[in-house]
Amino acid sequence: MKFKKGLIILVLLFSVLVVFMAYSVTFAEEKRLGERFMDAFDAKDSAEMRSIIKKNRDEISNEIKIMVEYAVTEAEPEEMKYMLTATKAMATIYKEEFEDDRLLKFVMANIDKAKIGGEEKAPSIPTDKIKAELADLGKGDWKVMSIKIDENNNVKIEINLKEKEGAPFAEKSITFAVAQKAKEIVLKYIPNAKGKIEWIRGGMGMKAVLIE
């Protein structure tokens, strides 16, 4: 009789242990989805990151929303930046694998709201300062007509030379040293600029300096 009671107790304990372990494993798997992705993200293991997304399609949406909500409401600035960068990577892979960009739009909206991205936002280019310094360099002999800069920092600057008696005016006013100084002004504000500065008189190009 005692043996049977002991056996029954052992069976019950074993059953409880099995249930507890099954619950623990399930809980750990659910909890570790985002963590596993971030481990792969930290290791720059693109194959593992993609595998996690592909194998957990139905869970990714909720996981990203939880991570983003935590990032923007509870995390410190550095952790917030890290979490949003990681979720951006998750959403990007999700878009590529399943041709669905809704999660990426959601993450990007929160990144814009937090004013951060996978990288820092580029500072605005002070075209007014460039224009003022180029005008000062001309000492009244020219007027900066336009400064065009695209998203890749390709620059085109047009400067109108004032009519003046005596020739060759362009050669007198725009020496090699002056042209280089104009180039230096642009590079001071746009270090990776490419393009050119062109001096024009009467609709004709009189001199140009390349920015590289």
Side-chain angles (χ1 to χ4, degrees):
M1 183 67 69
K2 290 182 178 180
F3 175 75
K4 289 184 177 180
K5 286 183 178 179
L7 182 61
I8 292 171
I9 291 172
L10 284 174
V11 170
L12 288 173
L13 287 172
F14 180 75
S15 299
V16 170
L17 181 61
V18 168
V19 172
F20 176 75
M21 289 178 65
Y23 174 79
S24 297
V25 169
T26 302
F27 180 77
E29 287 177 351
E30 291 177 355
K31 184 180 180 181
R32 290 197 337 252
L33 176 57
E35 292 174 349
R36 284 190 290 118
F37 183 90
M38 288 191 289
D39 287 342
F41 178 75
D42 290 340
K44 296 181 172 59
D45 188 343
S46 57
E48 178 63 12
M49 286 191 287
R50 194 167 295 274
S51 175
I52 290 169
I53 299 300
K54 290 173 70 174
K55 291 178 180 178
N56 297 277
R57 178 176 183 175
D58 294 337
E59 290 79 27
I60 291 299
S61 176
N62 189 55
E63 188 74 11
I64 286 178
K65 289 174 182 177
I66 290 172
M67 292 169 69
V68 168
E69 183 178 358
Y70 168 79
V72 299
T73 61
E74 298 184 41
E76 295 296 323
E78 283 304 311
E79 186 183 13
M80 176 178 69
K81 181 177 178 179
Y82 167 74
M83 294 286 289
L84 291 180
T85 303
T87 52
K88 178 182 175 183
M90 293 175 76
T92 299
I93 296 173
Y94 186 92
K95 174 188 174 183
E96 293 169 354
E97 289 295 328
F98 307 118
E99 298 182 355
D100 186 344
D101 65 352
R102 288 175 295 178
L103 286 176
L104 183 58
K105 287 180 179 179
F106 168 74
V107 174
M108 292 306 299
N110 280 276
I111 287 174
D112 290 340
K113 193 180 297 183
K115 296 184 178 178
I116 68 168
E119 62 281 335
E120 296 295 328
K121 284 185 177 287
S124 59
I125 296 171
T127 53
D128 54 337
K129 291 184 178 180
I130 297 173
K131 187 173 182 178
E133 290 196 29
L134 288 174
D136 288 343
L137 181 64
K139 297 179 180 178
D141 289 336
W142 66 57
K143 181 179 180 181
V144 181
M145 299 303 294
S146 66
I147 299 178
K148 297 177 181 177
I149 308 169
D150 68 14
E151 65 277 7
N152 296 314
N153 288 334
N154 292 307
V155 177
K156 183 178 181 182
I157 299 175
E158 292 186 357
I159 300 176
N160 188 39
L161 291 166
K162 293 182 179 179
E163 295 290 343
K164 200 170 185 179
E165 293 182 5
F169 172 69
E171 292 179 10
K172 289 180 181 178
S173 302
I174 315 166
T175 62
F176 176 80
V178 169
Q180 290 303 303
K181 180 62 179 175
K183 177 179 174 180
E184 289 171 9
I185 289 170
V186 175
L187 290 174
K188 179 172 68 173
Y189 293 104
I190 319 172
N192 57 342
K194 297 172 290 182
K196 70 177 180 177
I197 305 170
E198 187 173 16
W199 285 264
I200 300 170
R201 185 175 66 181
M204 296 180 60
M206 305 301 293
K207 192 175 184 70
V209 60
L210 294 178
I211 305 171
E212 297 178 340

